[in-house]
Amino acid sequence: MNVNVAAVTPAPKAGLGSMAILGLAAAGALLFIGVAALPYYLRIEEVQFRQYWPMRGWLLTHITMGMVALLTGPVQLWLGLKDVYPTVHRNLGLVYMTAITLGAVSAYYLAFNTSGGVVFGSGLAALATAWLTTTGMAFLAIKRHLYEQHKEWMIRSYVVTFAFVTFRAFDSVLAARGLPLLDHIGVSAWFCWSVPLLLNELVLQGRKILRVRVD
């Protein structure tokens, strides 16, 4: 059996499946913002922020920048996958990168000053690092005109951005199972980005493998 490495079918264009996933991501982002994020702005009181009250400025920065990235990400991915409106795509990309940079900086501060334990703090710091790394690689790729790599790294970046939503999902499930507070927030801080990123990588790389024709 010989594998003809050169015989690779072209990368498929974004179809209805990709658009449906982006639509679901946007819906999930809006649901998260309405349920979990907006209450912090509607009730800026110590009872709402609890242990984060002394760091409320940092937390609000993190949440605000996260919302900007969550909402601009699907639009940015749609523009990139469809290869339309390049000027809008470029300008929105700058907004997205700025939001992630500020969101990651505030995440580092929260991680190193949290009362949620070392597992939660390290998970939050690792998430911020993954956020900056994936977005930075997307920026580096587009600066070198590596368009397919740029698209892949932008997808990875948004998977990490979506950790705002997946954290809430993981944490709610683990809390419902009766895990102690420090345990379920610590596990969720790691799982909310690492598991989705792994699954995303299986899809991205699996599609490349399956496109290779085997003689």
Side-chain angles (χ1 to χ4, degrees), residues 35-213:
V35 172
L38 287 182
Y40 284 98
Y41 299 89
L42 299 175
R43 190 181 182 188
I44 304 181
E45 300 173 1
E46 187 171 357
V47 66
Q48 173 70 28
F49 286 78
R50 293 175 292 183
Q51 71 270 23
Y52 288 106
W53 180 247
M55 300 177 282
R56 57 191 177 277
W58 291 96
L59 181 60
L60 286 173
T61 299
H62 183 60
I63 295 173
T64 302
M65 295 301 103
M67 288 194 298
V68 172
L70 276 172
L71 294 176
T72 57
V75 180
Q76 184 72 345
L77 287 171
W78 182 83
L79 293 172
L81 292 173
K82 288 293 189 180
D83 292 321
V84 293
Y85 306 114
T87 301
V88 176
H89 179 66
R90 182 170 55 253
N91 292 335
L92 197 61
L94 294 175
V95 173
Y96 181 79
M97 286 194 301
T98 301
I100 286 175
T101 301
L102 295 176
V105 169
S106 56
Y108 279 126
Y109 182 88
L110 294 170
F112 294 129
N113 293 277
T114 184
S115 58
V118 66
V119 178
F120 174 75
S122 61
L124 183 57
L127 188 154
T129 302
W131 213 8
L132 289 173
T133 302
T134 53
T135 308
M137 290 296 289
F139 177 73
L140 182 62
I142 198 60
K143 292 297 288 185
R144 293 177 175 269
H145 306 289
L146 300 171
Y147 300 108
E148 288 305 315
Q149 288 192 36
H150 171 70
K151 290 176 182 179
E152 290 186 359
W153 280 108
M154 275 301 299
I155 292 171
R156 295 182 183 106
S157 172
Y158 192 71
V159 168
V160 179
T161 298
F162 207 70
F164 279 90
V165 180
T166 51
F167 175 88
R168 179 54 65 101
F170 272 117
D171 196 55
S172 297
V173 171
L174 295 177
R177 294 183 64 87
L179 268 69
L181 175 63
L182 293 185
D183 287 346
H184 68 72
I185 64 173
V187 171
S188 298
W190 279 98
F191 276 37
C192 68
W193 63 273
S194 60
V195 172
L197 202 55
L198 173 61
L199 294 175
N200 175 73
E201 203 61 26
L202 288 174
V203 173
L204 286 179
Q205 303 308 323
R207 293 175 68 185
K208 291 181 182 179
I209 293 171
L210 293 176
R211 288 205 307 268
V212 176
R213 294 198 299 269

